[in-house]
Amino acid sequence: MKKIIECVPNFSEGRDKNVINAIAEAIRGTEGCTLLDVDSGQSTHRTVYTFVGDTETVIQGALAAARVARKKINMALHKGEHPRFGAMDVCPFIPVANVTMEECVEVSRQFAQLAAEELGVPFFLYEEAADQEYRRKLPDVRKGEYEALEDRLKDPRWKPDFGPAKFVPSWGATATGARMFLIAYNVNILGSANQAHRIALNLREAGRGSDQPGKLKDVKGMGWFVDEYNMAQVTVNLNNYHVTPIHLLFEEVKREAAQLNLAVAGSEIVGIVPLESLIMAAEYYIEKEGLFIYEEAHKVRLAVERLGLNSVAPFIPEDKIIEYIVAEPPEEPLASMSLRGFIEEISARTSAPGGGSASAAMAAIGTALGSMVAKLTQGVRKFESVEPQMQKSIPILHELTRALIPMIDADTSAFNEYMEGLRLPKGTEAEKKARLAKMQAGLKTAIQIPLATMRLGDTAWDTLCEVAKYGNPASKSDVQVGAKALETGIWGAYQNVLINMKDIKDETFKAETMAETMAIENRSRQMCAKVLDILESI
């Protein structure tokens, strides 16, 4: 899955539709960015945009939005209820998928530097990007708001991290940084607003004051009554769902409500959420209830049901989970073909797809057959005695099969970098050196793909032995074919490593890689024989 970063810039404009729409269009028009939400407030005179992109495109989306704000927003005329000190008041970057907090910090720094230089305005770093603790919290950075900014910029302690240390009346200043994903979450209470607020005070981190802190960290909350639902709610912001996850908040509300003889009637997520937060909830209930669930879609469904996320409105995963909203069909032209089409493509008068793609396909078929037999054994009454072995085996082989399938296409595209190097000019010594370096890097990339196939396949053997030993005996031949297919897939990938290795100049890389691949190939032959021996004894 690609890297996904969420950006939530807040602009000091909530009334002029032309400006609001112009900023939205700037984000929407940035290639690689997906605008998810635009939330404007008349009284706050503020609009919050939510969009996602990767580590490069998200910077461009934020820059495009800032450029519009620089032209169209004049902070000297701005009044609103929400705290603010800049046209683009705050611009946090949030890790969503396959991205670290450190990467988001670097993204925020790059954005601040580029925007400050181009727009000529001051930028402050806050939260995880802050270099000094006293600048970490947004309220501290924004203290005194726009009206105090001119004098504050004269204080050396508040010199901007990027941009001029001078007051720009039309802009003010911007705070940018990196933080965890904030989840807006409400739990429904069949009670009064006072009772819901009482629960919120017990749970939120601030509690009832410094002398009476709440139970849960990184939680802000209160209680209110929603007329349209005819229910009260404990409404919270989960500032870090790794510290206080959704399911923990829900279970604590249930516990507090029970002490007040109140019923909990489900919950709702306001806005969107990362997939991980729901998978965490599912894993909690799977462990708590001793369930056996391995498919992602079923885990999401379990989380939705246990948290009652359909209680006030339908929870549609494709509209609420970030990764599903921005999902694109995988670029797997070979793996997406019909079986006939794939075989015919291999037989065509072209060098790719070839043995590498075929090897990955065979390895995937090998683990898939093991997965099939385990699934056909699991849950059958007469095989209840081996249920633990099957429940352990199924997730491993299921995920390995999913991981091996992309290797079919990855192998075909593995030579792109090498071919790019081959086409480089070679007239001068410098050009020859650059060409050789590019070709060598390309060969290493080409080796890494079949090596990845080998590594994945290698992790299947112990589990395949378990399936051979405890699986449905009627499926004996399926496991036999699976073992031979996996062995052949690993052997084929090994041959692809060998053929590319002969031109590698890096002797250290060659020695280390050959030692690993030879060990995997040797173990593959031994483990295949072991699986077949187990089956022959049945």
Side-chain angles (χ1 to χ4, degrees):
M1 185 181 291
K2 65 181 182 180
K3 294 184 176 185
I4 301 176
I5 294 177
E6 182 188 50
C7 183
V8 190
N10 290 219
F11 290 90
S12 297
E13 177 55 70
R15 299 165 188 168
D16 189 329
K17 292 295 183 183
N18 291 327
V19 177
I20 294 168
N21 292 337
I23 294 173
E25 285 305 313
I27 297 170
R28 195 179 285 116
T30 303
E31 186 176 356
C33 290
T34 302
L35 181 62
L36 302 177
D37 188 55
V38 179
D39 185 9
S40 300
Q42 285 274 339
S43 62
T44 57
H45 203 356
R46 187 180 188 86
T47 300
V48 179
Y49 299 81
T50 303
F51 71 96
V52 293
D54 60 28
T55 51
E56 296 178 2
T57 59
V58 75
I59 294 174
Q60 296 307 314
L63 275 172
R67 290 186 189 109
V68 175
R70 185 74 170 96
K71 293 178 181 178
K72 295 182 177 291
I73 296 176
N74 185 353
M75 283 301 294
L77 306 176
H78 184 273
K79 297 291 182 183
E81 293 180 11
H82 199 287
R84 82 285 180 271
F85 74 161
M88 175 190 258
D89 189 58
V90 61
C91 186
F93 295 89
I94 301 125
V96 174
N98 301 310
V99 178
T100 64
M101 182 63 74
E102 289 72 23
E103 286 178 287
C104 286
V105 167
E106 180 58 28
V107 163
S108 70
R109 288 177 175 273
Q110 289 182 30
F111 164 66
Q113 182 176 2
L114 290 170
E117 289 175 356
E118 178 180 338
L119 306 179
V121 296
F123 272 75
F124 292 91
L125 298 174
Y126 82 112
E127 285 283 355
E128 297 297 325
D131 289 328
Q132 295 158 299
E133 190 62 30
Y134 74 90
R135 293 181 179 225
R136 190 177 181 88
K137 295 181 179 179
L138 181 60
D140 293 336
V141 176
R142 198 165 53 190
K143 187 177 181 180
E145 300 185 41
Y146 173 82
E147 287 73 15
L149 187 59
E150 184 173 10
D151 288 336
R152 210 156 189 242
L153 286 169
K154 298 174 184 177
D155 184 346
R157 292 184 76 249
W158 289 103
K159 179 183 177 182
D161 292 284
F162 295 96
K166 67 177 183 179
F167 184 53
V168 182
S170 62
W171 181 269
T174 299
T176 186
R179 63 167 172 79
M180 279 299 298
F181 193 97
L182 185 151
I183 297 176
Y185 182 56
N186 302 330
V187 181
N188 306 321
I189 303 293
L190 300 181
S192 67
N194 285 337
Q195 290 170 317
H197 192 59
R198 178 176 172 182
I199 293 172
L201 291 175
N202 289 343
L203 298 181
R204 69 184 188 183
E205 183 171 13
R208 289 176 166 78
S210 58
D211 59 334
Q212 289 183 285
K215 293 181 181 179
L216 303 178
K217 299 295 184 182
D218 283 319
V219 176
K220 296 178 181 178
M222 59 179 287
W224 61 21
F225 195 88
V226 182
D227 291 331
E228 61 184 293
Y229 300 161
N230 192 28
M231 288 188 293
Q233 287 185 327
V234 176
T235 178
V236 302
N237 283 339
L238 303 176
N239 292 336
N240 187 337
Y241 65 87
H242 286 146
V243 175
T244 298
I246 295 173
H247 59 270
L248 176 58
L249 188 283
F250 184 70
E251 292 298 321
E252 287 294 336
V253 171
K254 284 172 60 178
R255 189 173 291 109
E256 293 284 336
Q259 293 176 6
L260 299 175
N261 298 318
L262 298 174
V264 170
S267 62
E268 68 171 339
I269 289 172
V270 181
I272 55 180
V273 291
L275 173 63
E276 182 190 31
S277 64
L278 294 182
I279 297 299
M280 288 169 63
E283 296 292 354
Y284 168 79
Y285 290 110
I286 287 170
E287 181 177 356
K288 179 182 179 181
E289 301 173 26
L291 305 175
F292 177 62
I293 299 174
Y294 58 90
E295 291 190 30
E296 181 178 286
H298 288 174
K299 289 182 179 181
V300 171
R301 180 65 180 270
L302 177 69
V304 170
E305 294 299 324
R306 292 295 184 269
L307 297 171
L309 294 176
N310 284 317
S311 58
V312 295
F315 184 93
I316 302 172
E318 292 73 20
D319 296 336
K320 299 289 285 185
I321 298 174
I322 295 176
E323 289 87 341
Y324 294 173
I325 295 171
V326 301
E328 298 175 356
E331 294 183 8
E332 297 175 353
L334 295 175
S336 299
M337 284 182 174
S338 67
L339 178 59
R340 176 183 294 276
F342 178 56
I343 294 172
E344 289 177 345
E345 188 73 12
I346 291 175
S347 73
R349 191 176 292 177
T350 57
S351 59
S357 293
S359 297
M362 284 186 282
I365 289 171
T367 57
L369 282 165
S371 177
M372 178 196 79
V373 173
K375 291 171 183 175
L376 289 174
T377 307
Q378 189 264 331
V380 178
R381 184 174 180 179
K382 67 178 180 178
F383 298 124
E384 284 182 350
S385 62
V386 299
E387 187 77 7
Q389 289 86 353
M390 294 303 101
Q391 288 191 9
K392 181 180 178 182
S393 299
I394 288 171
I396 295 172
L397 294 173
H398 179 83
E399 290 303 322
L400 277 175
T401 303
R402 289 168 59 91
L404 280 163
I405 290 172
M407 295 295 105
I408 298 170
D409 285 276
D411 187 86
T412 298
S413 59
F415 272 95
N416 290 348
E417 188 177 357
Y418 176 77
M419 295 305 294
E420 288 174 7
L422 199 62
R423 288 190 288 267
L424 289 176
K426 50 182 178 180
T428 66
E429 286 302 315
E431 288 177 343
K432 289 178 182 178
K433 187 175 181 180
R435 180 174 179 269
L436 178 62
K438 183 73 172 178
M439 290 169 63
Q440 286 292 300
L443 283 173
K444 288 183 179 181
T445 299
I447 287 169
Q448 290 299 330
I449 300 301
L451 178 55
T453 297
M454 294 183 73
R455 287 168 174 163
L456 288 168
D458 187 47
T459 61
W461 286 118
D462 289 338
T463 306
L464 204 57
C465 284
E466 289 288 288
V467 175
K469 192 181 300 182
Y470 300 107
N472 186 341
S475 298
K476 173 181 176 179
S477 63
D478 297 307
V479 184
Q480 289 172 320
V481 173
K484 292 300 291 185
L486 180 57
E487 180 197 26
T488 304
I490 291 174
W491 180 85
Y494 176 59
Q495 298 307 315
N496 274 262
V497 170
L498 290 181
I499 200 167
N500 292 318
M501 191 64 77
K502 60 184 177 65
D503 292 323
I504 289 290
K505 309 296 183 185
D506 185 339
E507 294 300 328
T508 301
F509 173 83
K510 182 182 289 188
E512 291 176 352
T513 305
M514 285 305 302
E516 181 184 3
T517 53
M518 289 172 67
I520 293 174
E521 197 277 328
N522 183 57
R523 186 162 55 250
S524 175
R525 284 184 279 109
Q526 294 176 357
M527 293 302 291
C528 180
K530 182 177 179 179
V531 172
L532 297 179
D533 286 344
I534 292 170
L535 293 167
E536 285 302 320
S537 66
I538 294 175

